[in-house]
Amino acid sequence: MFTTKAFIKKTKIGNFLKNVREHYIRDDIFCGFSKCGKCIPMESCLSSIHQNKCSLFNFNHYLILDTNVILDQMDVIEEATIGNVIILHTVLKEVKHRSLPIYKRLYSIIENPSRHFYVFTNDHHKDTYITQNDGELINDYNDRCIRKACSWYMKHLPKEKFVFLTDDTNNRQLALKRGNSFLFNIFLVSEYVHHLNNNSILEDKLSRKDFHIDSNTKDVFPPHLTNVELLTGVKEGKLYQGTFRASRDNFLEGFVNVDAFNDPVIVQGRDGLNRAVDGDFVVVQVFKEEDWISPSEIVLEDEGVAEENIDELEIKERELKNSTHKKKGEIKPTGRVVGIIRRKWRQYCGILQGGMDGVYQLLIPADKSIPKIRIETRQAEFLRTQKLIVTIDSWPRYSRYPHDTKRRVDLRHIDICSVDPPGCTDIDDALHCRPVDNNKLEVGVHIADVSHFIRPGTAIDLEAASRATTVYLVNKRIDMVPDLLSSNLCSLRGGEERFAFSCIWEMDKKANIINTRFHKSIIKSRQAMTYEEAQMTIDDKSKVDSIAESLRNLNMLAKILKKKKIRKRVKSKSKIALVLASPEVKIQMDSETMEPLDVEVKKLFETNSMVEEFMLLANISVAEKILEDFPECAMLRRHPTPPSSNFDPLIKAGRHLGFEIKIDCGKNLAISLDEAVKPDNPYLNTMLRILATRCMLQAVYFASGTLQKDEFFHYGLAVPLYTHFTSPIRRYADIIVHRLLAVSCGSDSTYPDLLDKEKTSKLCQNLNYRNRMAQYAGRASVAFNTHLFFKGKLQDEDAYILYVRKNALQILIPKYGLECTLFLAQKGETSNIFEYNEEDQTQKAGNIVLHAFDPVKVRLSLDSNNIQHEKFVLQLVSPCIEGFSVPPLTEMEVVEKEKRRKLPNDERKSMTDAKSKMVESIMAFENKSFAGSTFCNLSKAFDCAAWYPG
Amino acid sequence: MSRNKELISKIGLRLDGRRANELRRIRCKLGVFTQPDGSAYLEQGLTKVLAAVYGPHQVRGGRSKAQHDNAIVNCIYPACVNAATLALIDAGIPIKEYVCACTASLANNDIPMLDISHQEEIIGGPTLTVAALPMSGKIVLMEMSQRFHLDHLQKVLDKALQGCRDIKQILDEAVRLHVRDVGCSTGWASTS
């Protein structure tokens, strides 16, 4: 049967357009019950064995859900106790239209056969289709469709019992009115869940719309404008819209990126922020120019205990106001948030704030840029020691593909080996080098063939694309692809046959490339070595086997390649590779107690740079190849040249030390960095390099068709073209590059999204975002474990001043790669000891002047008062400033302290227990749930201690 | 592939409720006008086409320009081809075989899909248009918007040809019906 569906849509210009679409009604749609003899049976997950146990009924029943139930109570539906659910197509469409994230979650349940969900296409079924009446609202029409389908089910299968769950009172009443004749079972979700057996978890997950509000509470925030006011305001140019970003240091300050201004608009104070949360799309009203201020340089933290306690907040606001002043030249547009267009919806991770009774609790999110959240729970006691998160998705279904060896070159006879850090299980690269005729060498880089296993469009691919990267934490890895793939099937393990993607060069002995070729291959790595082992093999002259020879040749070539780069630096003006620095530390963990044993700065071998050199070469070769074959949609990586204003802090710092840092081109920068050495402060050069690193912009992925060719340049590596090809197990970008390369060498086929520059570009944005987050998570994890390590310790350490701030010093402790803040004044006070000189960036106390980069000695301890935001407390030891610094620890005191540490002090033990429990809970939660959304939370969770300015 | 642009749902139904291998509804009628020598009306889903044929008439201009065995018909939509075929038959122009046209696409980069509606075309996916002589299997015209990998071409083409055969069946039925009606009214039935 054929009918049409018409609806009227407003076009962008403002015209009204009538859309008419075909709509076919069918007689072959299955009801989902295998016992029903009337329908043509098809696949269905409904089960006659599963029982929904609810004390409201004394019989087994099937559930039909209304749209609002799915939208509001997704958390309940995700629980496995609820099964045998019929999802009507009308409902499914409405859910998809209203909220895509909920739709995705719903679909993952539907796809899980053990949950017994069935989608009934009621809108194409001949008996359940109804036409929309003239003037009937779409909502009413959908409700009518749902009711029709319910009653049809009851008529169609008189022996089965159906329960219709809805929270829509109107729908419920209408259904009851009609349903008299059919014994309609209609319930509110809360009623139903309340009567379910084992309902305690479910009941907490019920979301509520009726909040308990005291009528006499005083208004804390000014009201938002209505949507209409916002839209007209924006249209008239009185208001501006943009994304709100909370400040990392100051909870009462944030920025809104508005297109109309070059600088982000500052919003300050409770009124200014007006309930905006980091990431929201907001509308701001910009003040008159005379009211503009400059960003405060003060650090403020929310320490309010109870929600009602706004007095303290007011004190802090005052403090903030006092600290802001109108500096000439640095004032930025200032405004206040008047409305929120779109909330950035994601789940937040955090812990309960202690000291509150009853069902209302405050959750302190781990991310400092998110305000505290009020939640309602009956399990407060239990939850107090846990880290909390809202929802958990299920594992995506896992698919494997049969092996095929066609279109592969057999390289099993070649002596290939891999070199990686110790303990690495996801080995994605292996190397070989062998002499071929005429004094030439054949060098091969073999990369795990992940794109062979992960086919485009599959669940595993979509999940990997949304994760974008594997996250490395101190003693834990959060994989981008499932473990079986990442550490077994794809990993190029020693002595096992594996599929690889090979990039093979023919080189002369001077490391000039004669030709390059790419093909898929099958390899057998002879040995998986660590950097140290490889180094030893090279150095041990007694070893003359083919592996050792090949490593020596590789090392020789790598050295030449490196030298060439340096020579290039002298010759050409702009092409120059910078040597940058950021402290990288390694934490040794006790495998049983999960307590860190020691923190040390990572060791580097010659082989590290050998492997790196060839990976760079492979990436560059691949970038050239894919750009040639796919000029529009090649996925490349660029590192933009930073704007010169980024270097201001570096130049300023250099000038105070008497060095001229030239930034007009990369070459001069590298040379002036090389020259900035002071014999009395050996660490100074490294610090300058750290500063220089922070001046850089982030390297990003992009689709080649979206930018001009001269923008492809990679500033840090000083190459015109670059991409990522060598780590497909842990980076999604590499998988895309593999697919592109596979197409260009004829071993795989394309698919539409791969060749779509818009889609590639969109994917790049996600990859960039995830990469940044993964980096933060990694750093935060190191910081967290450093915290654990310092628990209960008191130490004097050599340190350097990195920045001088108005009320604090930024201190770097090279031994642990730590960066912390040394506050110079108590909260709310201005220091009467120190005098801040903004021009010179110094703090003066008496006749002692503290400059940036000065060596100092500090006492390091850990403040555990706030369990979620533990922080280091620094005290100045030397130079000695009367009334501020502390005397150095004597040997005695250290011993005393150590002794106390060693005493089996119950209290101390319980503290560490709590902490490790926290770690465990994070781990457990990771193992259970691996979906993208969770991953995001986790990375955010570790963001909590982000000590690194990002 | 973005999920909200799914051409075939997981239940196997397309956006308008058809399955992958189903045509849109085709309704057609021959001889709808009296003025032209031949005419036809064809409805394929929401696409409605009227076709009229004038002639055959004498060659205008020089006799040397005459082409005795072919004519050129320009069509925009596949449905136009089908309508034109009917109109030609109605006009009594001798043709070798029915010319039928049909589109096919590749949904979710995997499943070939027959007879693309306007909505499906907008949403995306490549569209392969094939005009063929269904009985002999000869392809008259084949064109494609966007692209897919060559590996998929055969199955999409097979699907489109299957569509052409299905359409021929429908057109043939309509022609027979029309001939019977016309024959009846001219008293042809009584002579036999």
Side-chain angles (χ1 to χ4, degrees):
Chain A
M1 215 171 107
F2 175 86
T3 179
T4 58
K5 207 166 60 170
F7 58 92
I8 292 169
K9 215 172 147 182
K10 199 175 169 187
T11 61
K12 273 180 193 159
I13 322 159
N15 298 334
F16 289 92
L17 196 72
K18 189 176 174 189
N19 260 313
V20 181
R21 288 197 182 142
E22 289 138 80
H23 189 93
Y24 291 85
I25 296 160
R26 320 185 58 94
D27 55 4
D28 62 346
I29 290 171
F30 181 41
C31 64
F33 289 79
S34 49
K35 276 189 275 180
C36 147
K38 293 169 228 168
C39 300
I40 307 153
M42 298 210 330
E43 202 191 341
S44 162
C45 294
L46 291 179
S47 137
S48 48
I49 307 154
H50 178 91
Q51 300 247 333
N52 283 325
K53 288 195 183 104
C54 180
S55 56
L56 284 174
F57 321 100
N58 51 1
F59 46 79
N60 189 21
H61 51 270
Y62 294 86
L63 290 171
I64 300 175
L65 305 180
D66 195 3
T67 317
N68 51 40
V69 175
I70 293 172
L71 287 174
D72 297 340
Q73 310 289 5
M74 197 60 212
D75 300 333
V76 176
I77 301 168
E78 274 176 338
E79 284 301 312
T81 26
I82 295 181
N84 270 346
V85 177
I86 295 159
I87 303 286
L88 301 176
H89 200 240
T90 309
V91 174
L92 196 65
K93 275 195 302 188
E94 218 177 342
V95 169
K96 186 174 173 183
H97 183 70
R98 300 264 286 272
S99 161
L100 210 53
I102 299 270
Y103 173 75
K104 284 183 178 165
R105 285 164 68 188
L106 178 63
Y107 224 105
S108 70
I109 305 177
I110 293 172
E111 282 188 327
N112 181 351
S114 64
R115 295 296 312 274
H116 313 302
F117 274 53
Y118 178 71
V119 178
F120 177 62
T121 323
N122 64 318
D123 51 350
H124 291 287
H125 191 285
K126 67 177 168 39
D127 295 329
T128 52
Y129 172 78
I130 42 179
T131 44
Q132 187 171 0
N133 296 336
D134 272 347
E136 189 178 23
L137 291 175
I138 185 76
N139 274 341
D140 294 341
Y141 170 65
N142 283 340
D143 287 350
R144 204 153 59 87
C145 287
I146 296 167
R147 291 197 300 270
K148 172 83 186 165
C150 289
S151 55
W152 177 81
Y153 256 111
M154 270 165 235
K155 246 194 281 177
H156 183 70
L157 295 155
K159 277 186 202 154
E160 305 292 344
K161 302 281 191 233
F162 296 92
V163 173
F164 178 48
L165 293 185
T166 180
D167 275 346
D168 184 341
T169 36
N170 194 20
N171 195 8
R172 187 169 176 227
Q173 251 146 29
L174 280 168
L176 277 173
K177 217 185 278 169
R178 283 173 36 105
N180 283 336
S181 51
F182 300 119
L183 245 170
F184 226 136
N185 290 307
I186 304 166
F187 287 94
L188 295 174
V189 187
S190 51
E191 266 180 286
Y192 182 79
V193 170
H194 192 67
H195 288 95
L196 271 181
N197 305 356
N198 313 326
N199 62 359
S200 67
I201 324 159
L202 286 178
E203 235 175 315
D204 252 7
K205 294 204 169 187
L206 273 176
S207 84
R208 294 199 155 193
K209 282 192 170 164
D210 47 334
F211 294 107
H212 149 96
I213 296 168
D214 275 339
S215 49
N216 53 1
T217 325
K218 116 182 181 200
D219 272 346
V220 186
F221 295 102
H224 287 156
L225 299 181
T226 64
N227 266 348
V228 182
E229 283 173 308
L230 292 179
L231 287 177
T232 45
V234 169
K235 214 176 241 173
E236 287 166 6
K238 285 180 194 154
L239 303 174
Y240 301 91
Q241 48 189 6
T243 314
F244 174 78
R245 291 276 164 220
S247 158
R248 273 170 177 273
D249 302 325
N250 184 340
F251 81 104
L252 285 174
E253 189 175 80
F255 305 93
V256 180
N257 291 315
V258 173
D259 291 339
F261 297 97
N262 286 334
D263 295 310
V265 175
I266 304 172
V267 287
Q268 227 179 36
R270 204 177 58 216
D271 291 358
L273 299 180
N274 200 359
R275 287 167 283 165
V277 175
D278 190 53
D280 285 352
F281 198 65
V282 299
V283 174
V284 284
Q285 178 188 15
V286 175
F287 298 145
K288 284 185 202 132
E289 211 156 318
E290 56 259 34
D291 292 333
W292 288 9
I293 54 171
S294 63
S296 68
E297 293 186 341
I298 202 162
V299 181
L300 279 185
E301 281 168 26
D302 188 4
E303 280 156 352
V305 180
E307 194 192 5
E308 291 75 23
N309 192 349
I310 57 170
D311 303 341
E312 194 186 349
L313 202 73
E314 278 166 1
I315 296 170
K316 291 213 170 168
E317 275 189 329
R318 230 170 293 140
E319 185 184 337
L320 177 67
K321 210 160 259 167
N322 294 338
S323 76
T324 40
H325 46 264
K326 292 172 191 169
K327 268 186 283 180
K328 271 265 162 71
E330 287 192 35
I331 54 164
K332 299 272 165 70
T334 309
R336 67 187 182 95
V337 174
V338 290
I340 292 167
I341 294 183
R342 196 170 52 242
R343 290 282 190 191
K344 196 186 176 198
W345 192 256
R346 72 173 175 87
Q347 299 143 335
Y348 298 109
C349 175
I351 57 171
L352 283 190
Q353 178 165 294
M356 291 182 79
D357 294 323
V359 289
Y360 297 104
Q361 297 282 337
L362 272 186
L363 178 95
I364 313 171
D367 187 340
K368 279 189 192 167
S369 48
I370 308 295
K372 293 178 185 177
I373 301 165
R374 190 164 92 151
I375 59 170
E376 188 184 336
T377 176
R378 283 172 198 79
Q379 307 171 60
E381 274 317 307
F382 168 68
L383 293 177
R384 192 144 292 155
T385 52
Q386 309 285 320
K387 212 156 194 176
L388 310 182
I389 191 95
V390 191
T391 38
I392 290 163
D393 290 353
S394 67
W395 241 122
R397 271 197 300 174
Y398 182 65
S399 48
R400 278 177 64 186
Y401 286 82
H403 289 193
D404 73 314
T405 44
K406 58 175 185 182
R407 292 171 177 170
R408 284 187 189 271
V409 179
D410 192 345
L411 298 179
R412 280 175 288 191
H413 58 281
I414 296 179
D415 292 316
I416 295 170
C417 66
S418 65
V419 185
D420 284 282
C424 175
T425 56
D426 50 349
I427 305 168
D428 35 23
D429 50 80
L431 294 158
H432 88 266
C433 176
R434 57 173 188 174
V436 285
D437 52 21
N438 296 346
N439 233 358
K440 278 187 246 162
L441 290 170
E442 182 193 83
V443 179
V445 167
H446 311 274
I447 308 297
D449 190 6
V450 180
S451 64
H452 172 83
F453 295 97
I454 298 184
R455 304 305 301 169
T458 54
I460 211 167
D461 179 53
L462 298 176
E463 183 61 33
S466 78
R467 286 179 190 216
T469 172
T470 292
V471 183
Y472 290 89
L473 305 177
V474 169
N475 57 344
K476 176 84 194 168
R477 196 177 76 203
I478 307 168
D479 282 320
M480 178 181 81
V481 296
D483 193 51
L484 181 62
L485 282 176
S486 67
S487 37
N488 187 351
L489 295 178
C490 292
S491 179
L492 304 175
R493 304 205 281 196
E496 288 183 48
E497 287 180 9
R498 287 287 179 264
F499 288 150
F501 210 137
S502 302
C503 171
I504 296 186
W505 301 281
E506 228 168 80
M507 289 186 176
D508 62 14
K509 294 248 157 129
K510 285 174 185 148
N512 294 313
I513 298 170
I514 295 161
N515 68 51
T516 313
R517 59 177 200 272
F518 306 97
H519 53 73
K520 291 212 170 184
S521 59
I522 176 163
I523 62 160
K524 188 172 172 186
S525 167
R526 296 291 181 271
Q527 200 184 347
M529 287 192 259
T530 65
Y531 289 119
E532 201 165 2
E533 278 168 10
Q535 189 67 51
M536 270 151 55
T537 316
I538 291 174
D539 295 343
D540 186 354
K541 292 282 181 299
S542 64
K543 281 196 178 163
V544 285
D545 58 355
S546 60
I547 294 273
E549 280 305 316
S550 130
L551 280 175
R552 264 170 226 147
N553 275 330
L554 285 172
N555 200 22
M556 184 265 295
L557 288 172
K559 277 184 187 162
I560 300 174
L561 284 172
K562 206 169 184 181
K563 228 183 252 163
K564 267 189 189 166
K565 247 195 252 165
I566 295 168
R567 215 179 313 136
K568 226 196 226 164
R569 176 193 291 194
V570 182
K571 263 195 210 154
S572 80
K573 237 189 153 194
S574 64
K575 287 180 184 170
I576 184 153
L578 278 171
V579 183
L580 297 171
S582 59
E584 259 191 276
V585 291
K586 194 185 162 198
I587 297 180
Q588 287 190 335
M589 297 286 276
D590 187 322
S591 56
E592 273 169 27
T593 58
M594 288 292 189
E595 271 182 63
L597 294 175
D598 202 0
V599 182
E600 58 182 36
V601 178
K602 269 184 193 161
K603 253 193 270 177
L604 288 178
F605 297 97
E606 211 176 75
T607 41
N608 284 61
S609 77
M610 172 189 93
V611 172
E612 193 187 311
E613 213 55 55
F614 282 105
M615 293 306 136
L616 290 180
L617 196 61
N619 286 337
I620 295 167
S621 298
V622 170
E624 284 163 2
K625 174 80 177 167
I626 59 171
L627 183 67
E628 186 189 322
D629 287 351
F630 302 96
E632 279 290 290
C633 57
M635 185 179 272
L636 301 176
R637 189 167 172 84
R638 73 193 190 101
H639 186 199
T641 311
S644 56
S645 64
N646 271 25
F647 288 105
D648 287 349
L650 181 68
I651 297 174
K652 236 188 210 173
R655 199 172 297 144
H656 291 306
L657 295 165
F659 298 118
E660 176 107 21
I661 309 276
K662 289 181 194 143
I663 51 120
D664 49 339
C665 69
K667 177 189 165 195
N668 284 341
L669 175 61
I671 293 174
S672 46
L673 276 178
D674 287 346
E675 285 168 355
V677 186
K678 262 192 183 171
D680 58 324
N681 187 348
Y683 199 67
L684 179 113
N685 190 267
T686 317
M687 279 195 288
L688 276 177
R689 285 183 200 278
I690 291 173
L691 283 192
T693 313
R694 293 191 187 165
C695 302
M696 299 295 154
L697 300 174
Q698 286 258 349
V700 287
Y701 298 110
F702 68 102
S704 56
T706 56
L707 287 174
Q708 292 300 312
K709 202 143 194 177
D710 51 348
E711 290 175 285
F712 294 1
F713 187 67
H714 196 293
Y715 182 82
L717 296 170
V719 288
L721 272 185
Y722 195 66
T723 191
H724 272 163
F725 167 71
T726 52
S727 304
I729 300 181
R730 58 186 178 88
R731 288 189 305 233
Y732 191 76
D734 302 53
I735 297 185
I736 294 288
V737 171
H738 273 229
R739 285 180 187 156
L740 288 168
L741 191 64
V743 172
S744 55
C745 64
S747 52
D748 209 343
S749 61
T750 56
Y751 56 101
D753 284 7
L754 188 68
L755 304 177
D756 187 331
K757 116 179 152 188
E758 296 303 322
K759 288 208 170 112
T760 309
S761 181
K762 220 168 166 186
L763 180 67
C764 287
Q765 280 171 15
N766 180 47
L767 298 187
N768 292 331
Y769 170 74
R770 290 286 187 186
N771 269 326
R772 212 166 50 237
M773 285 304 144
Q775 228 172 21
Y776 290 160
R779 286 173 195 161
S781 161
V782 171
F784 172 68
N785 281 284
T786 319
H787 280 184
L788 281 187
F789 174 66
F790 277 105
K791 178 142 254 155
K793 279 188 189 155
L794 199 59
Q795 268 175 333
D796 284 353
E797 289 295 342
D798 289 321
Y800 297 92
I801 300 172
L802 206 53
Y803 298 106
V804 178
R805 300 253 188 252
K806 193 181 169 199
N807 64 344
L809 297 174
Q810 208 72 20
I811 302 280
L812 179 78
I813 304 168
K815 189 174 168 192
Y816 302 112
L818 259 181
E819 197 187 318
C820 327
T821 315
L822 171 64
F823 283 98
L824 296 178
Q826 293 301 310
K827 260 171 218 113
E829 296 169 17
T830 39
S831 169
N832 43 16
I833 304 171
F834 286 96
E835 221 174 282
Y836 178 55
N837 183 336
E838 203 189 322
E839 210 34 56
D840 297 343
Q841 291 281 313
T842 55
Q843 292 276 6
K844 196 173 156 198
N847 50 7
I848 297 171
V849 184
L850 294 172
H851 296 90
F853 302 116
D854 279 355
V856 288
K857 216 176 182 93
V858 290
R859 174 169 307 166
L860 194 57
S861 61
L862 197 66
D863 172 14
S864 309
N865 287 335
N866 180 345
I867 188 125
Q868 187 162 233
H869 295 300
E870 286 184 323
K871 54 189 175 195
F872 284 108
V873 176
L874 296 187
Q875 285 164 301
L876 194 63
V877 177
S878 85
C880 183
I881 292 166
E882 195 77 23
F884 180 75
S885 62
V886 290
L889 289 174
T890 58
E891 283 295 312
M892 274 304 285
E893 272 176 294
V894 176
V895 174
E896 186 81 358
K897 193 84 193 172
E898 281 295 301
K899 233 191 241 165
R900 237 192 298 158
R901 196 173 136 76
K902 272 175 194 147
L903 275 178
N905 189 330
D906 281 344
E907 189 193 2
R908 179 173 309 285
K909 193 159 183 301
S910 70
M911 268 305 282
T912 33
D913 274 357
K915 193 84 191 191
S916 52
K917 205 180 263 171
M918 189 171 120
V919 177
E920 268 166 28
S921 68
I922 298 169
M923 304 293 169
F925 136 63
E926 267 173 50
N927 289 338
K928 249 193 287 172
S929 58
F930 221 107
S933 50
T934 338
F935 162 68
C936 155
N937 285 309
L938 195 75
S939 59
K940 282 311 248 187
F942 279 105
D943 218 16
C944 63
W947 45 274
Y948 206 98
Chain B
M1 190 145 313
S2 92
R3 242 167 229 255
N4 45 352
K5 281 188 178 177
E6 231 162 33
L7 287 170
I8 294 190
S9 72
K10 301 220 165 66
I11 323 152
L13 290 182
R14 285 153 70 169
L15 293 163
D16 52 13
R18 287 183 289 157
R19 295 196 194 278
N21 56 357
E22 288 174 344
L23 291 169
R24 285 176 291 169
R25 179 184 63 169
I26 295 181
R27 293 202 293 197
C28 50
K29 209 176 160 191
L30 281 81
V32 284
F33 295 133
T34 47
Q35 176 95 23
D37 296 295
S39 62
Y41 169 75
L42 182 123
E43 211 176 86
Q44 195 167 354
L46 292 174
T47 313
K48 293 165 186 166
V49 189
L50 274 170
V53 172
Y54 293 90
H57 54 74
Q58 273 200 323
V59 180
R60 293 187 190 108
R63 191 165 273 261
S64 59
K65 281 185 186 164
Q67 290 174 305
H68 299 288
D69 55 351
N70 57 36
I72 297 164
V73 181
N74 282 321
C75 297
I76 313 167
Y77 293 108
C80 300
V81 175
N82 300 331
T85 302
L86 287 181
L88 285 170
I89 290 171
D90 187 42
I93 314 274
I95 50 175
K96 285 180 189 158
E97 206 182 308
Y98 284 87
V99 185
C100 297
C102 186
T103 53
S105 174
L106 194 66
N108 309 348
N109 202 29
D110 187 34
I111 312 153
M113 198 167 74
L114 198 59
D115 200 7
I116 310 309
S117 72
H118 179 60
Q119 191 195 3
E120 286 166 333
E121 203 173 333
I122 297 171
I123 286 176
T127 308
L128 181 77
T129 308
V130 175
L133 306 179
M135 282 184 291
S136 54
K138 283 178 186 155
I139 292 168
V140 178
L141 167 142
M142 181 157 87
E143 67 178 11
M144 170 128 166
S145 68
Q146 298 186 47
R147 52 186 168 179
F148 52 65
H149 196 267
L150 199 61
D151 292 357
H152 299 301
L153 181 64
Q154 195 54 49
K155 60 180 177 190
V156 179
L157 182 59
D158 286 348
K159 195 56 111 178
L161 287 174
Q162 177 60 45
C164 290
R165 281 194 290 275
D166 292 348
I167 290 172
K168 189 239 152 192
Q169 205 78 39
I170 295 165
L171 298 188
D172 197 43
E173 216 166 280
V175 169
R176 280 168 202 280
L177 217 67
H178 177 70
V179 171
R180 205 187 63 202
D181 286 356
V182 175
C184 282
S185 57
T186 52
W188 147 56
S190 59
T191 56
S192 65

